[in-house]
Amino acid sequence: MSQIFGLFPTPVMRVEKLLDGERVAAVVAEIENTTTLANAFSDRLSHTPVAAADTSALFTSLGALALPKVTEFGEVLFGEPLAWQIKEIWVNVLEPGGRQAIHTHANSFVSGVFYLTSPDPSARLVFHRSLGGSGFIFGNNNPNARINQFNGGKWMVPEIGAGDLVMFPSYLLHEVPVNQGERRITIAFNAIPDRLDNFGYAIRFA
Ligand SMILES: [Fe+2]
């Protein structure tokens, strides 16, 4: 008998329908009626300024809804229920044909995305293992090679719908490929714990 051990997996959490249909409709209506979208990264992706979680009643209520799930996910990452806060929160609007370039979220530990529309399958969140470093890279991606969790380089969230929340460690590379469907609306946030303690060497975050 032989065994394969999958070492050091990366957690990604999906909370299905954290927002019910009525709530999703109300949030979308509020965004479309009151939110000023600024800072266009591309002509088809726009977002509100990154803001503290208490900037608006909408952000405060979504943050309060997410926080218990952030704490649950944080316990997976760090092994205990820490005191988390939603540090920043913002709205993203991705028009048809738009995309979001690969990136990570610096100075954050847990990042999350509320889906306010059911995204076209083309525009689901894609996570990447690595972009490589400064050395040569070898691979064996070809039609005969079967992709698995050990040789795969990227992973697409398999199923996502309006009202869902997806959370991931903030260091994880991610992107949104070209949106071949309708307008895609999300609200993203970053969260931090109050402190981390490594054998008595503790650091605080504010
Ligand atoms: Fe992101």
Side-chain angles (χ1 to χ4, degrees), residues 90 100-105 168 170-176:
W90 63 98
Q100 187 175 39
I102 192 166
H103 65 283
T104 57
H105 295 209
F168 52 91
S170 302
Y171 62 76
L172 200 56
L173 286 160
H174 58 285
E175 68 168 330
V176 181

